[in-house]
Amino acid sequence: MRVTEASTYRDLHFPSLIIGGSFAAVAICVSVFSILQHLRFYTNPAEQKWIVSVLFMVPVYAAESIISLSNSKFSLPCDILRNCYEAFALYSFGSYLVACLGGERRVVEFLENESKKPLLERGDNESKKKKNSFWKFLSDPYVLGRELFVIEKFGLVQYMILKTFCAFLTFLLELLGVYGDGEFKWYYGYPYIVVVLNFSQMWALFCLVQFYNVTHERLKEIKPLAKFISFKAIVFATWWQGFGIALLCYYGILPKEGRFQNGLQDFLICIEMAIAAVAHLFVFPAEPYHYIPISECGKITSETSKTEVKLEEGGLVETTETHVEASGTSIKESVQDIVIDGGQHVVKDVVLTINQAMGPVEKGVTKIQDTIHQKLLDSDGKEETEVTEEVTVETSVPPKK
């Protein structure tokens, strides 16, 4: 059986490498072209820094998949890097929607206004007021206001943190020989990591869906549904695709050889990234940013030059030319803004999310410590009472004659 599986992999490896490499080349070329267009016309940094981050997901996936397909030894490192960037891309897409709404402050103001709309627009709110924030988020996110934005950001950042942590944990478990890629057995780390990441990803995507449901009317100009579907298809489909291939290999429907399982996943991703790259040309076009929005430009430099033209009749005509240059339109400055400003934004949100997660933990630890301390005080008080009662009894007993 092992010989048959190995021969199947060898027979399919070279043709799949040629076909997958062709699709990967198309994906990389088309995506690089789209990214360069945005960098060249970098007139709206608040939005475009996140668009470029999302677009860069396609060449990252395509390059790592073809490298892994060409040499199975690089499969695990490539998978780790791919997973890490997937989490960052999901965060970038959420940040892009926030930027399109005018930034975090305007988003909070909008959500607060949505939560204060008349009761007739929402129906009977008496029962909804009695629900906690979690049930409100599930059933009627409109009424949450500011809390909805906090939950949405926490959902995206927690996935980015967990995905990165689990990626390096996978690498460590693989070195120790206890990861068991594709093996659904209790003594391997694979099934546990799959469960954790599956829950984390589903929660992050659900947070994004709820945020979209509340804000889609304000995002009509950017056609958010097409962007949402195209991005979600990459993140959601590739994850479940890998999980499905692992199940098929585990139950013997496909060859169980690890190289075949990883190779099939890499081959399909190469094809899917070519399709995604072409779709991104239409979903995230650079044309709307070819024109400089005056209200959003930071610094505009104008240069006026005057020239005199001598006419044959002997007169002089003065012509004036004005050149307007917007800052941040060179590719070099665009890349610097994406790396520096985008990096600072990510670090700030990660720190904020960790602090939010640690808050309830600290409260819980403090509550446990207070409870233990109170029990110790109560036990000490009981002991003192018993000692006092014993002393009282001894002193009250008359001495024997």
Side-chain angles (χ1 to χ4, degrees):
M1 183 66 178
R2 290 288 181 184
V3 177
T4 305
E5 292 177 356
S7 63
T8 302
Y9 176 80
R10 284 195 303 268
D11 294 339
L12 296 176
H13 181 253
F14 183 73
S16 64
L17 185 61
I18 298 299
I19 298 172
S22 302
F23 277 99
V26 171
I28 292 172
C29 291
V30 173
S31 294
V32 168
F33 171 77
S34 182
I35 290 170
L36 289 177
Q37 287 293 99
H38 278 280
L39 294 178
R40 176 64 184 86
F41 300 99
Y42 197 67
T43 56
N44 191 340
E47 296 179 12
Q48 287 179 281
K49 70 163 64 75
W50 304 117
I51 292 179
V52 171
S53 299
V54 172
L55 294 177
F56 202 67
M57 184 180 183
V58 170
V60 167
Y61 267 47
E64 291 175 356
S65 295
I66 197 61
I67 291 172
S68 176
L69 184 60
S70 62
N71 192 336
S72 59
K73 292 180 180 179
F74 299 111
S75 178
L76 184 62
C78 288
D79 190 53
I80 290 173
L81 293 175
R82 187 167 58 208
N83 289 338
C84 291
Y85 197 84
E86 175 197 317
F88 172 68
L90 184 62
Y91 166 83
S92 299
F93 185 76
S95 299
Y96 166 66
L97 296 182
V98 172
C100 290
L101 291 168
E104 295 185 358
R105 186 175 65 181
R106 290 191 179 182
V107 169
V108 171
E109 292 175 357
F110 167 73
L111 294 176
E112 287 293 321
N113 292 334
E114 284 290 306
S115 65
K116 296 175 183 177
K117 281 188 176 181
L119 297 180
L120 292 177
E121 297 184 20
R122 298 274 187 266
D124 185 15
N125 264 13
E126 290 300 322
S127 61
K128 295 175 184 175
K129 288 181 180 179
K130 299 177 182 178
K131 298 179 181 178
N132 57 31
S133 296
F134 178 74
W135 290 112
K136 288 178 182 177
F137 178 69
L138 294 179
S139 59
D140 193 28
Y142 289 88
V143 302
L144 286 174
R146 180 192 298 267
E147 288 183 60
L148 175 61
F149 180 63
V150 174
I151 294 173
E152 183 262 350
K153 178 176 285 190
F154 183 86
L156 296 180
V157 178
Q158 63 83 24
Y159 178 62
M160 184 169 60
I161 295 172
L162 270 179
K163 189 80 169 181
T164 305
F165 173 76
C166 287
F168 288 100
L169 180 60
T170 298
F171 182 71
L172 178 62
L173 293 177
E174 183 67 22
L175 291 178
L176 297 174
V178 292
Y179 177 59
D181 189 15
E183 297 289 337
F184 294 89
K185 298 176 181 177
W186 67 269
Y187 49 82
Y188 283 130
Y190 175 79
Y192 304 105
I193 291 178
V194 164
V195 170
V196 171
L197 287 182
N198 187 34
F199 175 79
S200 178
Q201 186 192 67
M202 294 293 289
W203 178 249
L205 288 173
F206 183 72
C207 290
L208 201 58
V209 169
Q210 292 295 76
F211 182 76
Y212 168 78
N213 287 336
V214 177
T215 59
H216 70 278
E217 291 292 333
R218 291 285 297 270
L219 293 169
K220 278 184 178 179
E221 294 182 1
I222 66 167
K223 299 178 181 178
L225 185 59
K227 292 178 171 59
F228 189 80
I229 292 175
S230 65
F231 176 78
K232 188 177 178 182
I234 296 176
V235 176
F236 198 72
T238 53
W239 165 256
W240 282 103
Q241 177 179 277
F243 183 71
I245 291 173
L247 281 177
L248 293 175
C249 292
Y250 179 76
Y251 287 108
I253 300 174
L254 293 176
K256 291 186 177 182
E257 189 182 12
R259 292 187 302 172
F260 180 86
Q261 176 182 327
N262 296 327
L264 179 58
Q265 169 76 337
D266 294 328
F267 174 73
L268 293 177
I269 288 178
C270 288
I271 297 175
E272 292 158 357
M273 290 306 104
I275 299 172
V278 175
H280 283 173
L281 283 176
F282 302 95
V283 176
F284 295 100
E287 284 76 10
Y289 302 101
H290 286 188
Y291 305 98
I292 304 172
I294 299 297
S295 60
E296 296 180 7
C297 284
K299 179 183 178 182
I300 297 179
T301 304
S302 62
E303 179 182 346
T304 304
S305 60
K306 295 182 179 181
T307 58
E308 293 183 352
V309 180
K310 187 176 182 179
L311 300 177
E312 294 180 357
E313 291 79 4
L316 292 176
V317 176
E318 187 180 84
T319 61
T320 303
E321 294 182 1
T322 303
H323 303 278
V324 179
E325 181 182 354
S327 62
T329 56
S330 71
I331 293 179
K332 181 180 178 181
E333 292 178 352
S334 304
V335 173
Q336 288 177 346
D337 179 75
I338 292 171
V339 174
I340 297 174
D341 189 62
Q344 291 175 349
H345 198 280
V346 172
V347 171
K348 183 188 72 174
D349 282 347
V350 168
V351 172
L352 180 63
T353 301
I354 292 175
N355 290 335
Q356 288 176 341
M358 291 301 295
V361 175
E362 291 177 354
K363 288 181 181 178
V365 171
T366 303
K367 189 174 182 180
I368 292 172
Q369 290 176 343
D370 292 341
T371 303
I372 294 173
H373 182 66
Q374 186 63 39
K375 287 184 177 180
L376 290 174
L377 290 177
D378 293 342
S379 62
D380 291 341
K382 288 181 180 179
E383 290 178 359
E384 291 178 0
T385 304
E386 291 175 359
V387 171
T388 304
E389 290 177 353
E390 290 178 0
V391 171
T392 305
V393 171
E394 289 178 0
T395 54
S396 60
V397 175
K400 295 181 180 179
K401 295 183 180 181

